[in-house]
Amino acid sequence: MDYTKHMDFAVEKTRENIKIFKYGFPMPQSRDYNYAPEACVDWTSGFFPGMEMIAYEYTKDEEFLKSARFHAEIFRHRIDNKIAVNHHDMGFLYSLACVSIYKVKGDEFAKETALLGADQLMERYNPVGRFIQAWGNMHDDTNNRLIIDCLLNIPLLYWASEVTGDEKYKNAANAHLDTTLKVIIRDNNTTYHTYFFDKKTGEPVRGQTAQGYSDDSCWARGQAWGVYGAALAYHYTKNEALFDFFNRVTSEFIKRLPSDYVPYWDMVFSDGSDEPRDTSAAAVACCGILEMSKYMDCSKYLPYVDKMMESLGENYTSKRLSYPSNVILTDGMYSRPDGHKPEGTIFGDYFYMEALMRLINPDWHMYW
Ligand code: GLY
């Protein structure tokens, strides 16, 4: 399949957006299919710099790199001044905004900045429960939980151990991974979004959703975080328990896809439902399958990558809109329980571009 026309479209949107987001960052979701700028204060601020780096690697146009480097300076200001970093999303932020530049250009400033992000993430490690606390102040009883999304944050810790030789990062990541694998998947191969632990004993207590339909449903992006998180963790750990986890979450994700291969926002919904889709979940899952196909036989999953990516590229981009838009993928769902409507999501756009890059250049070195 020729993915270059889809990548060219994504790169041109990114080029247009460099002007709008010179000093700022796209908000997590668009409004009327246009992202507005905000300061570097969200968990999503790293996605646009990540897109700039993919666009740079694809085109070799220095404008993209220049803008990404400028954004990395803002990330340094953020971590130096501890602005909106009291949460676990340091990986989404610093892997994409800074590890990217270090991996592509060997940039020491970007490396040091990403290591500061890793140190910040270490502060959220709870040794009693052996997990990284997602949200809220540490030692706050109402927030003693991990969330499946964190599987995308622990690669920053593995990377930090690799570049510093200090195993403390890797040890925390491994403990968090073990705990996650124990609690996050149900017997029916669907996943919890978040899981609480007893504050005193560290024993698992119960699962609860935040962005899914119900506590026992299958939030599509959460399931996709499981798919990609398993592949990334395997990349760093070579822990073979991850094959089984990956097979279970990926088979279930694929089994629950509707006929056009773009999931509903929660996978309790399928063909015939009036509920919205979540294009971002498809893009995340594609990245996960493509990464894991380097380590195990994924021949039964890879045809679905083509089906999902073709459906996204042909039917779910802003080309289909009758008015100007600065988003790439339409029909992303940030948080349905918060009343959100289908919109562009900057994470959906990032993972779609990453999946395109992986398909066009299988030797591409990821930023995670
Ligand atoms: N990590 C937050 C989300 O997936 O919306």
Side-chain angles (χ1 to χ4, degrees), residues 220-237:
R221 194 162 60 255
Q223 192 82 6
W225 292 142
V227 173
Y228 198 7
L232 291 173
Y234 186 82
H235 165 82
Y236 280 107
T237 64

Side-chain angles (χ1 to χ4, degrees), residues 43 88-89 92 147 149 193 211 219 221 225 334 347:
W43 73 276
H88 70 147
D89 283 323
F92 283 114
I147 76 171
D149 323 30
H193 180 191
Q211 283 160 270
W219 177 46
R221 194 162 60 255
W225 292 142
Y334 188 15
F347 36 93

Side-chain angles (χ1 to χ4, degrees), residues 101-113:
I101 304 177
Y102 171 66
K103 285 193 176 176
V104 176
K105 299 304 288 184
D107 185 308
E108 286 295 316
F109 173 82
K111 174 181 153 189
E112 282 164 19
T113 306

Side-chain angles (χ1 to χ4, degrees), residues 37-86:
E38 66 174 9
C40 192
V41 292
D42 240 308
W43 73 276
T44 49
S45 312
F47 292 112
F48 187 64
M51 291 162 70
E52 292 177 319
M53 287 307 294
I54 291 176
Y56 167 65
E57 290 201 82
Y58 182 68
T59 62
K60 303 283 180 271
D61 182 337
E62 295 281 329
E63 281 304 302
F64 290 117
L65 177 63
K66 204 169 121 200
S67 185
R69 279 199 161 121
F70 184 73
H71 283 129
E73 288 179 31
I74 301 176
F75 268 75
R76 180 59 161 259
H77 177 81
R78 179 170 178 172
I79 198 72
D80 280 348
N81 293 283
K82 305 255 183 206
I83 298 168
V85 291
N86 191 28

Side-chain angles (χ1 to χ4, degrees), residues 36 39 54 57-58 78 89 96 101 108 116 133 152 156 169 181 194 196 211 221 265 286 295-296 338 358 364:
I54 291 176
E57 290 201 82
Y58 182 68
R78 179 170 178 172
D89 283 323
L96 297 184
I101 304 177
E108 286 295 316
L116 294 172
Q133 183 184 315
L152 279 278
L156 181 66
Y169 303 102
L181 296 184
T194 86
F196 282 96
Q211 283 160 270
R221 194 162 60 255
W265 69 276
C286 287
Y295 317 114
M296 61 174 265
D338 289 312
R358 287 173 173 277
W364 178 72

Side-chain angles (χ1 to χ4, degrees), residues 10 24 32 136 150 170 240 315 331:
D32 297 330
C150 195
K170 179 171 112 179
E240 297 201 349
N315 306 316
D331 296 273

